[in-house]
Each structure stands twice: as structure tokens, then as C-alpha cells.
Amino acid sequence: MNISKFVELGKKIVCVGRNYAEHATELGNKVPTEPLLFLKPTTAYLSEGNKIKMPPGCTDLHHEVELGVVIGTKGTDIPVESAMDHVGGYALALDMTARNLQDAAKKKGHPWTLAKAFDTSCPVSKFVEKERVQNVHNVRLWLSVNGDIRQDGNTSDMIFKVPTLISYISRSMTLEPGDMILTGTPSGVGPVKSGDVIVAGLDQLMEMSFSVAE
Ligand code: MG
């Protein structure tokens, strides 16, 4: 499989919630003691040049900039020690979130599906070759809205590191080539509205731009 075509060929997007302590607390959540996981379907992917849409019932659409890890080789029960061998590359992604729907779901103890998995909820960059990222735990992630910086973090602040996430996820779900793990967002999440332009970057490696549909 050509891993750079992960958007077309990948089977799942496994997302990690609250993986940066400052972000967990900015939403009034406790810092987790084990990874918090949810899924997006691959129909959530949005490539550059297309617009982010408000899902039904959304009154508070939030941006979350995240490092995406693209799986290169299949594995189940992957040990932490060899987990990085399963990484095929990276991407920059947004975990767009209908925060009002998520808050309502949290109150009821319901899943976050409608808040997190809607069409266009995963704007994504082009593939970043694995070799271009020298240390995955020292990468700057930033995001601006209409030119104002809103998020500026570093993957060094992840609570659960990439090998731990790969190992933990693969205990329950076989990871396959083209699957993507969204590794969580640093602090600074906030709302966007129709017509806003989001620009996000991953160190000097990647920059991408998406606008919110009118
Ligand atoms: Mg997120």
C-alpha cells in the first residue's frame, strides 16, 4: 500500500482525548490516568481546498490542532518497544468538535459520535514522511484563526507518548496500514464561525489552511 494515500486507503481514525494536561483542565476535565479513545470514520476526512461544515445542531464548533500518526505496518498487541516500527509517517490534522453537542453527551453519559465524527470533522494535511520528523516528541503544533494565534503547543507535552498509544490501542483494535491516530490537542481550543480561516502548522514541515463554510 502507498501510505501517502492514507486518506483514501485508511480504514479508521483513532483519536485520543485529553492527552495534554493544559487542554484537559481548560475544559474542566481531570487529567486521565489511561488513554481516552474515540473514533472518527474516514468519511470525516477533508482535504485542503474544501470547506469545514457545521454539523446539524452545532452552535459551538471548536478547532483542535493535532499531530496525526499514520500507521505503516499492521499490528495487534504491539509492544511499546517496537511500536515506532509500525509508524509509516505523519500528518497534521484538526479534530473539529461540536462542543455544545459534546457537552450535552457528556452530561448524559452518551458517546461523542455526533460531536466528533461528522463529515468534515477531520481536515488533514498531505502526508509527512517519517524521516522528516526527527523527534516526534519535540514538534511544534500551532493554529491561527483569521491570523490570530490560538493554539501553540509542543508534542513534548503529550501525557501518553506515541509508542504507548500505539501499544495501548493495538491491544483492542488491530492497527492497519493507512490508519491514523490523532494524538490529542494542546490548550487554546475555541470556537470558529462561518467564513473564518484556520491556518495550522507542524514545525517547519507542514502548513495547511481551511475555511469554515458560509
Ligand atoms: Mg481532540
Side-chain angles (χ1 to χ4, degrees):
M1 179 200 254
N2 180 353
I3 297 299
S4 69
K5 300 223 179 280
F6 68 97
V7 169
E8 293 100 280
L9 302 175
K11 292 185 184 165
K12 58 186 169 296
I13 306 167
V14 186
C15 307
V16 184
R18 302 173 195 162
N19 201 27
Y20 289 76
E22 262 186 42
H23 167 64
T25 53
E26 78 179 337
L27 294 181
N29 296 305
K30 288 198 176 116
V31 173
T33 52
E34 60 182 306
L36 169 63
L37 303 181
F38 61 93
L39 291 169
K40 287 181 192 276
T42 53
T43 45
Y45 277 133
L46 183 72
S47 299
E48 261 190 295
N50 298 296
K51 293 189 174 185
I52 298 167
K53 291 185 193 136
M54 287 273 175
C58 178
T59 56
D60 192 23
L61 182 64
H62 275 208
H63 56 76
E64 297 188 358
V65 66
E66 310 204 1
L67 173 74
V69 175
V70 181
I71 297 298
T73 48
K74 184 172 177 172
T76 308
D77 275 327
I78 299 168
V80 171
E81 300 71 38
S82 57
M84 291 306 289
D85 298 344
H86 291 262
V87 174
Y90 301 96
L92 179 62
L94 305 181
D95 169 17
M96 297 305 297
T97 302
R99 194 70 72 199
N100 63 304
L101 300 183
Q102 187 194 27
D103 288 346
K106 279 159 71 176
K107 276 193 196 117
K108 292 181 190 160
H110 288 177
W112 300 351
T113 309
L114 294 179
K116 289 281 200 179
F118 55 90
D119 288 356
T120 79
S121 66
C122 192
V124 69
S125 74
K126 292 195 187 69
F127 183 72
V128 178
E129 290 76 17
K130 185 178 184 179
E131 302 70 38
R132 294 181 64 207
V133 178
Q134 284 170 357
N135 177 3
V136 71
H137 300 112
N138 184 18
V139 178
R140 183 181 169 226
L141 279 172
W142 59 269
L143 178 144
S144 69
V145 178
N146 303 331
D148 295 331
I149 289 279
R150 299 273 188 88
Q151 294 189 267
D152 192 355
N154 192 292
T155 56
S156 60
D157 291 325
M158 281 184 192
I159 298 168
F160 301 104
K161 307 296 185 196
V162 173
T164 302
L165 294 173
I166 290 172
S167 179
Y168 184 87
I169 293 165
S170 72
R171 282 161 46 186
S172 300
M173 279 175 266
T174 296
L175 288 169
E176 296 180 281
D179 287 350
M180 188 164 78
I181 300 171
L182 286 194
T183 55
T185 194
S187 60
V189 304
V192 288
K193 57 185 190 315
S194 295
D196 282 353
V197 177
I198 300 172
V199 179
L202 189 68
D203 263 347
Q204 308 302 319
L205 299 164
M206 184 60 73
E207 195 173 304
M208 64 181 190
S209 175
F210 287 91
S211 57
V212 182
E214 299 286 348

